[in-house]
Amino acid sequence: MTDINPLDVPETDPFDVARTAAREIAEATGIARHDIALTLGSGWGRAADLIGETTHTLDAEEITGFSAPALAGHAGKLRSVLLPGGKRALLIGARTHYYEGHGVRRVVHSVRTAAATGATTMILTNGAGGIRETWTPGTPVLISDHINLTADSPLEGATFVDLTDLYSRRLRDLARTIDPTLDEGVYCQFRGPHYETPAEVQMARVIGGHIVGMSTALEAIAARQAGMEVLGLSLITNLAAGIQTEPLSHAEVLDAGKSAEPVISALLARIVAAL
Ligand code: HPA
């Protein structure tokens, strides 16, 4: 049997696929409705253990529409977490990046599935490069807005969605009640998987960007289309190319994520508790 992902069939409605996935999650967990969803990017994974009690862990691959992980042996997991206040969170540890080349439907499937489970708040986190010199590696930054440089969109056809206040001011203000030192900036999504050139980073700066990365903007658009309130958080894992003089390495990015993880995960858990 060939395993065709239904999202790759153009005639398929991606929202039907998301509804099927949500039904499967409800069946596997016994939880009919989730309230909040979080996508945990580089450096944010430990938050999974801090925000509440994990009652169910699923292999994302077993759920309709989700892709096999890009790195073998790193199976993407979905967790259902009971928050201290009684709400339910769906934790998405299974991000499909645009640079994997599977198309934007697969990139945003987790967000659409989260919406179909009932979630009305979407927290998107990532590891990213910083353009502001003052953001040393390990600094968490709120995303205030984005510039989508992928030249793609999760919206199909003449679907006009307002993106004013895409990254909810209310949620940013709430995050700052937990940590008043949280800075914010505009996230530029590049296609990747190569890091940017110094000239591209300068371009991003000139057009109003402060953070460079390879995820999140497309996901945030899909979340807004689904009517969710979005909070975006970047962990600055490195200064962007040319802002730092040394070459960028994936190992450096992972290391910065690891060292910052306890602090930013605790911060994220406190933000979630305040929602
Ligand atoms: N650029 C793009 N994506 C990234 C970076 C970067 O500098 N660091 C971590 N993810």
Side-chain angles (χ1 to χ4, degrees), residues 127-130 194-196 212-214 237-241 248 253:
H194 46 268
Y195 291 116
E196 301 72 34
V212 289
M214 306 178 194
T237 56
N238 57 279
L239 289 178
L248 264 59
V253 166

Side-chain angles (χ1 to χ4, degrees), residues 29-184:
T29 60
I31 306 298
R33 192 197 144 81
H34 287 79
D35 306 291
I36 297 167
L38 296 97
T39 298
L40 299 179
S42 265
W44 297 92
R46 203 178 298 179
D49 294 325
L50 299 180
I51 65 168
E53 180 201 344
T54 297
T55 57
H56 304 85
T57 303
L58 311 175
D59 277 338
E61 266 179 272
E62 319 251 297
I63 304 295
T64 295
F66 282 78
S67 309
L71 295 173
H74 291 77
K77 301 283 185 197
L78 302 174
R79 294 204 203 186
S80 179
V81 175
L82 178 61
L83 303 182
K87 287 187 183 169
R88 275 277 161 186
L90 181 69
L91 260 59
I92 301 161
R95 183 173 246 150
T96 298
H97 286 90
Y98 189 65
Y99 59 68
E100 290 172 50
H102 298 309
V104 73
R105 283 181 167 194
R106 288 220 222 167
V107 171
V108 302
H109 179 59
S110 59
V111 168
R112 287 183 172 151
T113 298
T117 68
T120 51
T121 303
M122 185 74 229
I123 302 184
L124 298 168
T125 65
N126 59 53
I131 298 183
R132 284 212 179 120
E133 289 87 347
T134 51
W135 290 342
T136 49
T139 306
V141 177
L142 291 165
I143 300 176
S144 59
D145 202 346
H146 79 220
I147 299 174
N148 171 12
L149 296 174
T150 65
D152 209 339
S153 170
L155 310 186
E156 298 177 24
T159 310
F160 305 109
V161 171
D162 174 46
L163 300 182
T164 311
D165 196 31
L166 173 55
Y167 298 89
S168 161
R169 180 172 300 279
R170 187 184 80 83
L171 293 181
R172 280 182 277 145
D173 287 345
L174 184 139
R176 274 189 293 257
T177 64
I178 307 295
D179 179 356
T181 69
L182 272 174
D183 222 342
E184 63 179 35

Side-chain angles (χ1 to χ4, degrees), residues 207-223:
I207 63 177
H210 308 106
I211 307 163
V212 289
M214 306 178 194
S215 66
T216 302
L218 294 170
E219 298 164 356
I221 295 169

Side-chain angles (χ1 to χ4, degrees), residues 137 198 238-249 252:
N238 57 279
L239 289 178
I243 307 289
Q244 70 172 38
T245 45
E246 308 85 58
L248 264 59
S249 82
E252 171 201 21

